Amino acid sequence: MQKIRQRLGNFWYYYKVHTIVAVIVIAILAVLFFQCAAKESYDYAIVLNMATVVEEPTADLLAGELARFGEDLNGDGAVTIEMINCTYGSNDNVRINQLGKLQARLTMPETVLFILDEASFTNLDAMGLFDRVDGFDAKEGRALSLHGTPLEAAVQSRYGSVLPTAWYLCVRGYDGNALEGDAKAAVYAEQSMALVSRLMEAYRAD
């Protein structure tokens, strides 16, 4: 027993720093693992960009309504949409932060669908961001007007007139940008367009 204590004491004396570092590294890796495991996996991503602040409950309602037209792509038993809220108001700091958030999302292949007001559409369309889509009724086919739709009615019935009169659903194009030819981007685009097609079909039926 005395020899065991002596050996442990010697080990701690010579390897104390190594042991502490190893324990810290293992703890960090464990935290990262559990964070990744707990992170929610969404089926779709939609950017919400408007010059008027849209509160998170309204953004969540939009996501829930649009999820009705989606599919369970990741097989978790539910259709979920990540609504990336990049809306801003008159505060310059908020606007700059949200612009950075928007620019970061533009680099990601899953960012296909956008909900925009007039000003945001004008700014992003000037970059040549959006594709023309058959059935889109605004902006020469580059936008689907959401004014007067069941989606707008769902928001108004819950939160009142919190959205602008002119607001649109747009689909991103990949021609001529860094994601052109990206296999993942092509898959996300196909999946997102299927959601849009089901939405338009349902709204025409209404």
Side-chain angles (χ1 to χ4, degrees):
M1 193 68 174
Q2 186 66 30
K3 288 183 178 180
I4 294 175
R5 288 199 187 98
Q6 186 176 1
R7 288 176 180 173
L8 289 175
N10 289 337
F11 177 87
W12 180 250
Y13 179 80
Y14 287 107
Y15 298 104
K16 176 168 60 176
V17 174
H18 302 78
T19 303
I20 292 172
V21 170
V23 169
I24 291 173
V25 169
I26 291 171
I28 291 173
L29 291 175
V31 169
L32 292 175
F33 173 79
F34 285 112
Q35 283 181 340
C36 291
K39 185 178 180 180
E40 185 172 0
S41 175
Y42 295 94
D43 298 298
Y44 304 89
I46 300 177
V47 169
L48 177 63
N49 185 220
M50 295 181 177
T52 302
V53 174
V54 175
E55 302 294 340
E56 289 302 328
T58 305
D60 291 341
L61 177 60
L62 289 171
E65 288 294 318
L66 291 170
R68 294 169 44 224
F69 308 104
E71 295 179 296
D72 178 18
L73 300 175
N74 58 16
D76 66 356
V79 180
T80 54
I81 292 177
E82 181 185 14
M83 189 65 68
I84 302 103
N85 192 342
C86 299
T87 61
Y88 57 93
S90 57
N91 186 297
D92 287 340
N93 290 330
V94 172
R95 180 177 58 81
I96 291 171
N97 288 337
Q98 295 293 62
L99 178 60
K101 184 177 176 181
L102 172 63
Q103 289 174 334
R105 295 303 304 212
L106 290 177
T107 67
M108 300 179 184
E110 64 266 29
T111 307
V112 181
L113 302 179
F114 293 75
I115 294 177
L116 309 167
D117 63 1
E118 194 73 47
S120 296
F121 174 85
T122 299
N123 292 336
L124 294 175
D125 188 55
M127 301 165 52
L129 193 64
F130 303 122
D131 268 346
R132 285 184 170 86
V133 177
D134 289 341
F136 275 18
D137 58 1
K139 307 300 181 182
E140 299 179 337
R142 294 190 301 280
L144 177 69
S145 174
L146 295 174
H147 178 58
T149 62
L151 182 61
E152 184 177 72
V155 173
Q156 287 181 340
S157 67
R158 184 77 176 270
Y159 298 111
S161 300
V162 295
L163 295 170
T165 302
W167 61 305
Y168 310 98
L169 176 66
C170 301
V171 176
R172 177 186 187 166
Y174 293 102
D175 292 342
N177 62 41
L179 291 173
E180 183 177 7
D182 186 288
K184 287 185 178 180
V187 171
Y188 288 127
E190 182 180 358
Q191 293 169 342
S192 297
M193 274 306 306
L195 181 150
V196 171
S197 296
R198 287 188 289 269
L199 179 146
M200 289 194 296
E201 184 178 350
Y203 284 3
R204 282 195 294 265
D206 288 341

